[in-house]
Amino acid sequence: MCSLSFFHDVQANEQTCISCHKAEVLDWQQSDHFHAMEPATVNTVLGNFDNQTLDYQGQQARFFTDNKKLIISMPDLQGKLTNYPVLYTFGYQPLQQYMFDMGQGKIQLFPFAWDSRTKEQGGQRWFVLHPEQKKHDLFHWSQMGQNWNHMCADCHSTDFKKQFDLQTNSFDSTFTQMNVGCQACHGDTQQHLSWANGDTDIKDKGFPVNISKKTPLFTRQADGSMKSAQPLKSSEQIPVCATCHARRSQTADRADPHEFLKQFQPSLITPELYHVDGQVWDEDYVWGSFEQSKMFAAGVTCSNCHNPHSGKLKLPGNQTCTQCHTSDVFETPKHHGHKVDTAGSQCVDCHMPATTYMQVDARRDHSFRVPRPDLTLKTQAPNACNSCHEDKTPQWAVKNIKQWHPNSKHMGSDHFSLAFHAADNRLPNSSAMLTKIAQNKDFPDIIRASALGRMANTPDNNAVVAIVRAVKEDEPLKRQAAIVAAMPYEISQRWRMLNSLLDDSRLPIRSEAARALAAMLIEPFPGGLNETDTKRLTDALNEYKQVQAYQAERGFSHTNLGNLALELDQPEQAQAHYLTAIKVEDIFIPSYVNLADLYRTQGDEVAAQNILKQGLKVNAEAADLHYSLAMSYIRGKNKQSALGHLQKAADFSNNNANYNYTYALLLQDMGQMERSLDALKKAFRITPNNPDISYSLAQAYLANKQYDLALRYANNLAQLVPGNQQIQQFIQQIKMMQSLNQ
C-alpha cells in the first residue's frame, strides 16, 4: 500500500505554488484532476453510507459507517458477506468509485459506484458498475482490470512508481502526490522555483518545455478556411495531455510528462477500438480522436477550449466554438437545420456526439467531424443525425442535409472509412485503397498509420512500398504501423525493411522492431549478421524484455516472453514463461492455448489436453480453450468428444466465424447435414466475405438440390474472388443442374 502522506504533499505543493499562482491553484482545486483520488473521509466521499443496501449477486451489499470508518459489505470470492474498509475515493463526477486493500499492496476498485449526478438527472444512487462480470472476467472486482496499481494510478496520481515484485506477487507502489498535481503536467518544478527566486542563469522560466497553447485565436478567411490570428508558437501541450488522455500502453514508470511517444505506445484507429470512420467506440479518451481533426492540423491545442487548471470549458455552449467560427455563419438554422436553443442547435450535438461509458459518463468525440449519414449506408458507421433521430433512416438524414447544404463538399465525397471498411471485411481491391490512404499526406498521420497497419492482411507490393516509405519518415505512428504491416513477410525481407528502426530514439518503436526481427538471431542471412547488427538487435530485444517485465503483474507479458522464447528455439524457457503467466493471472486464456500448442509440437497431446482442461476449470466459457481442446481430440481421432467442445466454442464466441465454420465441417463429416447447414449460415452471417464459407454453403445447398440458394452463394463467391475460372465453371454446373431438374 502507498505510504507517502497525501495531505503533507498536497499542502506543500499548494503553499508553494499559491504564493504566485493563486488563481491557477484555486481553479485546480475545483478540477477533476484535484479529485482524481483522495483519502476516503466523510468530506471526500459523495456516496450515501447511511446503512444503504444494493442487490448484488443474489445478496445485499451494504454501505455503512463503523466508528467513523466507511465500510462496504459485499460477497467475497467464496460468496461470504465480508466487510471491506473504504480507503480511497476515485473521481467524483458524474460518478465516484471507491477502493480497498486486497492485500499484498493490491488496491482494487469496488464493483459499485455512486452516481453523483442530481436526482433530476437520475443520480444520487448506488449502482453496480459491471453487473455482467463473472469471477473469470477481466473487469471483475478481483481481477487486474479493476486494479489501481496497474490500470489507474499512473494517471490519477503524481510521480507514481508501480514497483511490482514478481517473486512475492505483490506491489510496493508509491507516489509523491495522491492526485494530479502541478508536477504531473509541468514536470520537476525545482528549476522554476529557482528562477522565481531570482536565478538569472535559468532560461524559459525553468520549465523544460512549453505547454502553453500555440495561438489564442483563429479567424475565418474569405474562402471559409481557418487561419491563426497570430503566428503559431511551438507547444508540447497535446503530448503532455495525451500521456493520460489517450488509449495507450506503458513501457516503464514515467520519467517526466513531456515524452509521450518515447514512453508510451498509443493505439491506432483499429476495429477493436474505433468505428470504421474513426469515431470512438471503446474507451478511447481524447487524443486518438483529436489527432484526426482539422483542429489539430490547424494548430488548436486543448487550452484553446479548456481552462488547463480547472479543466472546464472557458466559454459556455456555442461560444466555445464561435470564438473562432463566426456565429453569423455557423450559429444559425441555415447551417445546423434546427431551431435555436433546441437539441441539434448546439455545435457539439452534430460535431462532437457523445458516447456513454460506465453507464452514466457521457464523453464527447473530439474529432470534430461533419456528420456523414451517407457513409452509414456504405460502412454501417454511426452518424450524429440518426443517433438523435433514432426513428429515422440514414437516407432521411442524407436528404435533409442536402436540403440545408445543396453544395456540400462533404456529402458523397470519398472518405478513408471506405478503405478501412473494405480492409476490415477483406473485400477485393482493399490493398490499393489502403495504399492511397497510407501515402496521401492530406490525411492525418494517425489515419495514414492506421491504413498501413491494416495492410498486414494484404501483404503485396503495395504494402512493401508503403512500409519502406513509412520507415524512412521520422514519424512515430507510421513507423509503429510499419512494424505491424511487415509481420507477414519472411524474416530476411522484414530485416531489410525494418532494421533501421532498431536505432529509433523512441523505446516503443525500437523494442517492437526488435521483437519483429528476433528470428534473425537464429535464422539470419547467409553468412549471419555481422557483430554490429547482432549487438543492435540484441540490445533492442533486451529492452523489449524489460518492457514486458514492467508489466509482470499481467499474464500477457509472460505470454509475450514465452512466444519470444519459442521463436528463439528455447522451448524450456517458453514453457516456464507460459506457466508463470498462468500463475500470475490465471484468467489469461492465451497462456493456456500457447502452452498446449507447445506440448502438441513436442508430441504430448495428453499434456496439451490437461493444460486446456485446467484453463476450463478457471473459465468454462472460454471459447478458445474449447476450440483448442476440440482440435486436440480431432488429432486423436476422437471426433465425438471434439464435437461437444466445438459446439461450445461456437456458442461462446458468437463473433468467431472460423469456430462456427469448423464446427459445421465436423458436423458434415459426421453426417449431421442439417445442423452443419445451420452452423454454416451462422458463420456466413458473421463473415459474409469469407470465400470458403460461401463455397461450402453453395456445395451444401447443391447437395440438397436447392439450386437457387446454391447459385446465390456461388455468385457471392464469384464477387469475392473475381476472374476465377473454376468458380465460373462451378456456377455453370449449378445452372445446368438447375435446368435439368426444372
Side-chain angles (χ1 to χ4, degrees):
M1 177 179 169
C2 296
S3 57
L4 300 183
S5 169
F6 167 69
F7 290 112
H8 171 77
D9 290 317
V10 169
Q11 289 173 353
N13 272 283
E14 284 185 21
Q15 294 305 315
T16 302
C17 298
I18 203 169
S19 61
C20 295
H21 304 286
K22 182 177 181 180
E24 288 81 0
V25 171
L26 292 177
D27 278 345
W28 169 70
Q29 290 172 342
Q30 307 303 313
S31 72
D32 288 4
H33 286 165
F34 179 84
H35 294 290
M37 180 177 167
E38 298 176 276
T41 69
V42 292
N43 294 322
T44 60
V45 163
L46 302 179
N48 186 343
F49 279 81
D50 187 16
N51 204 30
Q52 300 296 297
T53 60
L54 183 68
D55 290 337
Y56 181 63
Q57 296 183 348
Q59 301 191 61
Q60 290 277 297
R62 192 159 65 98
F63 308 84
F64 62 100
T65 58
D66 182 11
N67 194 25
K68 296 185 179 181
K69 291 184 178 180
L70 298 157
I71 307 291
I72 295 180
S73 175
M74 67 177 186
D76 64 13
L77 293 176
Q78 286 71 45
K80 179 182 177 182
L81 282 174
T82 303
N83 294 343
Y84 294 92
V86 181
L87 292 183
Y88 305 118
T89 68
F90 199 68
Y92 79 119
Q93 62 176 6
L95 72 160
Q96 187 176 64
Q97 294 179 262
Y98 305 96
M99 293 183 280
F100 67 99
D101 186 352
M102 197 173 174
Q104 296 180 293
K106 290 180 67 174
I107 307 299
Q108 298 290 127
L109 288 112
F110 283 102
F112 318 106
W114 175 257
D115 186 342
S116 54
R117 299 174 302 166
T118 64
K119 281 189 176 182
E120 292 72 22
Q121 294 172 314
Q124 299 301 296
R125 65 189 176 95
W126 288 104
F127 67 100
V128 181
L129 198 56
H130 300 288
E132 76 288 352
Q133 294 292 299
K134 300 176 183 178
K135 181 181 175 181
H136 59 249
D137 292 324
L138 178 61
F139 285 95
H140 185 267
W141 59 265
S142 63
Q143 301 293 353
M144 294 306 297
Q146 293 295 316
N147 173 253
W148 169 82
N149 314 72
H150 169 77
M151 292 289 291
C152 317
D154 179 70
C155 287
H156 280 254
S157 58
T158 301
D159 193 26
F160 174 74
K161 307 299 180 190
K162 184 166 57 176
Q163 298 177 167
F164 175 74
D165 185 339
L166 179 60
Q167 299 303 315
T168 61
N169 194 22
S170 64
F171 293 93
D172 185 23
S173 303
T174 63
F175 44 69
T176 58
Q177 193 165 334
M178 184 177 289
N179 58 4
V180 182
C182 308
Q183 183 179 336
C185 300
H186 293 283
D188 189 347
T189 58
Q190 289 304 310
Q191 286 278 88
H192 177 66
L193 293 173
S194 297
W195 169 84
N197 288 324
D199 190 336
T200 57
D201 292 332
I202 297 175
K203 307 299 181 185
D204 299 321
K205 299 183 180 180
F207 287 124
V209 295
N210 177 24
I211 59 171
S212 62
K213 58 189 173 184
K214 291 185 176 182
T215 186
L217 191 67
F218 293 78
T219 58
R220 189 169 186 265
Q221 306 301 295
D223 63 357
S225 64
M226 303 300 295
K227 184 178 180 181
S228 58
Q230 299 175 7
L232 291 176
K233 301 175 183 177
S234 175
S235 172
E236 293 296 319
Q237 183 182 119
I238 292 172
V240 168
C241 296
T243 59
C244 288
H245 294 274
R247 184 71 177 254
R248 83 293 190 275
S249 59
Q250 192 167 355
T251 59
D253 288 333
R254 65 172 71 207
D256 60 60
H258 313 117
E259 299 289 350
F260 176 48
L261 293 172
K262 289 188 176 181
Q263 296 181 331
F264 300 90
Q265 184 173 47
S267 298
L268 299 178
I269 311 304
T270 62
E272 298 80 17
L273 301 178
Y274 291 84
H275 290 289
V276 72
D277 65 342
Q279 292 185 71
V280 296
W281 181 21
D282 204 352
E283 291 194 72
D284 301 318
Y285 311 105
V286 174
W287 177 84
S289 298
F290 190 58
E291 282 272 322
Q292 303 175 49
S293 71
K294 291 184 177 180
M295 302 282 194
F296 172 78
V300 173
T301 56
C302 312
S303 60
N304 280 107
C305 300
H306 297 273
N307 179 320
H309 297 100
S310 70
K312 306 295 190 296
L313 287 173
K314 296 166 70 173
L315 295 167
N318 284 350
Q319 291 181 44
T320 300
C321 305
T322 58
Q323 62 177 325
C324 294
H325 300 275
T326 51
S327 58
D328 59 338
V329 174
F330 295 101
E331 199 175 17
T332 68
K334 183 179 179 181
H335 174 72
H336 52 65
H338 296 76
K339 292 182 180 179
V340 175
D341 294 330
T342 65
S345 66
Q346 293 294 302
C347 306
V348 295
D349 292 338
C350 298
H351 299 291
M352 297 183 70
T355 301
T356 299
Y357 301 98
M358 305 176 80
Q359 300 187 44
V360 300
D361 190 3
R363 305 176 197 170
R364 294 200 175 275
D365 193 304
H366 278 66
S367 56
F368 304 100
R369 65 186 67 247
V370 173
R372 292 289 302 272
D374 59 315
L375 292 177
T376 301
L377 296 169
K378 298 176 181 178
T379 69
Q380 304 303 308
N383 68 82
C385 306
N386 294 118
S387 294
C388 281
H389 300 279
E390 295 179 354
D391 59 330
K392 304 296 184 182
T393 65
Q395 291 90 337
W396 170 87
V398 170
K399 178 182 176 182
N400 278 274
I401 291 177
K402 285 184 175 180
Q403 289 177 349
W404 303 331
H405 301 283
N407 300 316
S408 171
K409 63 181 181 180
H410 300 287
M411 295 297 292
S413 65
D414 199 9
H415 193 271
F416 67 80
S417 63
L418 301 176
F420 286 8
H421 176 73
D424 295 346
N425 288 277
R426 309 294 177 91
L427 297 179
N429 203 37
S430 62
S431 174
M433 297 172 71
L434 290 173
T435 300
K436 291 179 181 179
I437 303 297
Q439 300 189 59
N440 188 338
K441 294 184 178 181
D442 291 337
F443 288 103
D445 287 334
I446 194 170
I447 297 301
R448 297 176 64 191
S450 301
L452 181 58
R454 280 171 165 83
M455 297 182 81
N457 295 322
T458 58
D460 56 16
N461 288 335
N462 288 329
V464 171
V465 172
I467 292 167
V468 170
R469 290 181 176 176
V471 168
K472 288 181 179 179
E473 293 185 55
D474 188 20
E475 201 294 309
L477 299 182
K478 291 198 284 291
R479 286 188 167 190
Q480 174 184 328
I483 298 170
V484 175
M487 290 308 296
Y489 298 92
E490 57 92 18
I491 186 61
S492 60
Q493 186 174 7
R494 214 185 304 161
W495 173 266
R496 289 193 293 271
M497 290 190 288
L498 300 180
N499 89 85
S500 64
L501 298 185
L502 297 174
D503 305 313
D504 194 285
S505 63
R506 293 159 285 246
L507 173 60
I509 292 174
R510 64 178 181 270
S511 62
E512 288 298 322
R515 177 63 187 90
L517 299 173
M520 288 297 295
L521 293 175
I522 60 168
E523 197 177 321
F525 289 126
L529 293 180
N530 61 41
E531 184 177 347
T532 299
D533 285 340
T534 299
K535 186 177 187 305
R536 291 171 62 232
L537 177 53
T538 301
D539 288 348
L541 200 58
N542 286 335
E543 289 186 300
Y544 173 83
K545 294 175 182 178
Q546 291 169 9
V547 170
Q548 303 311 310
Y550 177 69
Q551 306 286 13
E553 71 273 17
R554 295 300 306 272
F556 67 75
S557 66
H558 302 285
T559 302
N560 288 342
L561 291 172
N563 295 343
L564 172 61
L566 206 57
E567 188 166 351
L568 295 177
D569 196 22
Q570 300 167 343
E572 292 184 1
Q573 290 187 28
Q575 178 182 347
H577 285 304
Y578 293 143
L579 290 171
T580 301
I582 293 170
K583 180 181 179 182
V584 166
E585 190 175 16
D586 64 356
I587 67 167
F588 188 68
I589 300 306
S591 57
Y592 298 95
V593 174
N594 291 7
L595 181 53
D597 282 344
L598 173 58
Y599 290 145
R600 174 185 59 81
T601 61
Q602 295 173 336
D604 193 344
E605 287 288 357
V606 173
Q609 292 174 12
N610 286 340
I611 197 65
L612 294 169
K613 291 175 182 177
Q614 179 181 330
L616 286 171
K617 289 180 181 178
V618 175
N619 182 359
E621 300 176 3
D624 293 347
L625 293 178
H626 283 292
Y627 182 80
S628 294
L629 187 54
M631 293 299 99
S632 180
Y633 282 133
I634 288 174
R635 289 190 295 271
K637 310 301 182 184
N638 187 352
K639 295 181 181 179
Q640 193 59 50
S641 294
L643 188 64
H645 286 287
L646 269 181
Q647 181 178 3
K648 290 180 179 179
D651 290 343
F652 290 134
S653 183
N654 289 325
N655 295 323
N656 193 310
N658 180 56
Y659 289 177
N660 285 275
Y661 180 56
T662 307
Y663 177 48
L665 294 181
L666 183 58
L667 286 167
Q668 189 179 75
D669 183 62
M670 299 177 71
Q672 301 184 39
M673 306 308 292
E674 188 173 341
R675 291 177 65 191
S676 174
L677 188 57
D678 288 340
L680 281 173
K681 288 189 289 186
K682 182 179 178 182
F684 182 83
R685 287 194 297 271
I686 297 170
T687 310
N689 300 310
N690 184 310
D692 292 333
I693 296 173
S694 288
Y695 177 70
S696 295
L697 277 165
Q699 287 277 29
Y701 281 118
L702 181 60
N704 287 346
K705 299 182 180 180
Q706 294 174 274
Y707 302 112
D708 289 346
L709 289 171
L711 197 58
R712 170 189 165 188
Y713 288 104
N715 285 328
N716 186 67
L717 177 62
Q719 291 180 352
L720 296 174
V721 190
N724 187 292
Q725 290 301 312
Q726 289 181 316
I727 295 173
Q728 295 303 319
Q729 291 172 6
F730 181 46
I731 292 173
Q732 293 305 314
Q733 177 191 358
I734 297 172
K735 288 180 177 179
M736 181 182 68
M737 296 181 70
Q738 184 181 41
S739 63
L740 291 174
N741 287 273
Q742 286 179 343

